[in-house]
Amino acid sequence: MSEAVEEPCIVIKKMSGEELAKISPVPGRVGELKQLIFEAVCMPVALQKLLHEDGSAVCADDEVLEKNNQAMTLIQDETPLWYWDSRSMLNLDIDGEIIKCERLDKDYVNVITKEPVAAGLHYFQFHLHHYADEQWCGLTPDPNMAGSEHGKAIPSKNGYMYYTGRGEGALEACGSRLKKAEHVGRSGNIIGMLVDCDYGAAAFDLNGNLQGACEIPKNTPLWVLTHVDTQRDHIELRKPSLQDAPPVNLEALQGALLDVSQGTAMSRSY
């Protein structure tokens, strides 16, 4: 009897050389391989960069894979978590993490990131270089909140937000005002947001001063969102290391959280 021939496989490794997974049989293209890697190690497809073990170029999704034993290096690229999605945003100037609004021709526009967060701990900073009226910064579970339609005017009706205010700020979520927060000055301020997707909590700070922490859905895709409404608005989103998050934010996540069902209902439409 002839011995069974083993199917060729692809060994997926970290940069360190540590083996993460073996994929067999070898799929037809890199895009298909990324989906199999997601199923094996739960890394979102959009965050995956693959390189052949003996190469330095990132593989394109439509690259055809040879049907032989081989190894590839997997790199996690988190830029889609904090780069703004510029698709259909023709009236804004978006360059990666930066939004400028000199060509804004709408009353307002909500902009979301390219990809959501859904697991783990993440720290974001909204650098408000300037805003001229009011702004919301936070999270939404609905990518359709991007845009300028009338029903999207108050993004905290379908999200978890820091509202900069017109004289008084607030933490708002799911159509309710949860608590007062510091008013955000027009220029040079930073709203921080520490998100724990596994525990289901988000803590907001202004220039390092804690403003409060609220419940969010656990292990649910959440897009970072900002709302701009004047041509002078200029915002930059950053994703520093967790070590840069104010310690009080982490403490707030572990303490009593604002219950989004106990806030004051918002009647405002715009």
Side-chain angles (χ1 to χ4, degrees), residues 34-257:
K34 287 182 176 181
Q35 183 59 42
L36 295 172
I37 292 172
F38 168 70
E39 294 169 7
V41 302
C42 298
M43 184 185 294
V45 169
L47 307 189
Q48 296 179 31
K49 300 291 185 188
L50 284 168
L51 294 78
H52 290 289
E53 190 174 40
D54 57 354
S56 58
V58 175
C59 300
D61 285 353
D62 60 357
E63 180 181 326
V64 176
L65 293 168
E66 296 181 6
K67 303 294 185 179
N68 56 28
N69 290 320
Q70 55 193 290
M72 300 185 80
T73 301
L74 176 64
I75 299 171
Q76 180 165 311
D77 175 15
E78 289 198 336
T79 54
L81 301 180
W82 51 280
Y83 270 28
W84 300 111
D85 189 348
S86 61
R87 292 174 296 179
S88 76
M89 296 293 169
L90 302 180
N91 56 345
L92 298 177
D93 294 308
I94 297 178
D95 182 10
E97 71 276 28
I98 297 171
I99 302 173
K100 294 183 178 180
C101 305
E102 293 175 358
R103 296 185 296 112
L104 179 65
D105 57 2
K106 307 288 186 182
D107 283 345
Y108 52 82
V109 178
N110 295 334
V111 188
I112 62 170
T113 46
K114 292 183 175 182
E115 293 294 326
V117 292
L121 192 63
H122 306 269
Y123 183 56
F124 297 93
Q125 289 180 336
F126 300 84
H127 287 248
L128 304 186
H129 296 293
H130 186 78
Y131 78 101
D133 185 20
E134 59 182 345
Q135 195 155 355
W136 282 265
C137 297
L139 300 162
T140 181
D142 183 3
N144 294 314
M145 284 299 293
S148 56
E149 292 83 356
H150 179 72
K152 304 173 183 178
I154 312 295
S156 56
K157 290 187 175 182
N158 192 5
Y160 309 83
M161 306 281 165
Y162 193 127
Y163 171 55
T164 61
R166 290 168 169 162
E168 180 180 271
L171 298 187
E172 300 176 351
C174 303
S176 293
R177 184 184 178 96
L178 303 182
K179 73 180 293 283
K180 292 180 182 180
E182 288 184 53
H183 171 66
V184 181
R186 296 296 178 195
S187 300
N189 291 283
I190 301 171
I191 294 174
M193 181 175 70
L194 183 62
V195 183
D196 190 333
C197 298
D198 302 327
Y199 184 62
F204 294 89
D205 71 84
L206 177 61
N207 300 321
N209 297 314
L210 180 68
Q211 301 298 306
C214 68
E215 301 170 334
I216 61 172
K218 294 180 181 179
N219 300 119
T220 299
L222 295 168
W223 285 259
V224 178
L225 179 149
T226 195
H227 169 109
V228 294
D229 66 356
T230 81
Q231 293 181 338
R232 289 174 287 169
D233 292 357
H234 175 195
I235 184 170
E236 178 182 353
L237 182 64
R238 297 181 188 175
K239 193 175 187 294
S241 69
L242 291 173
Q243 286 77 15
D244 293 326
V248 290
N249 286 33
L250 187 58
E251 293 168 8
L253 292 184
Q254 299 168 343
L257 302 176

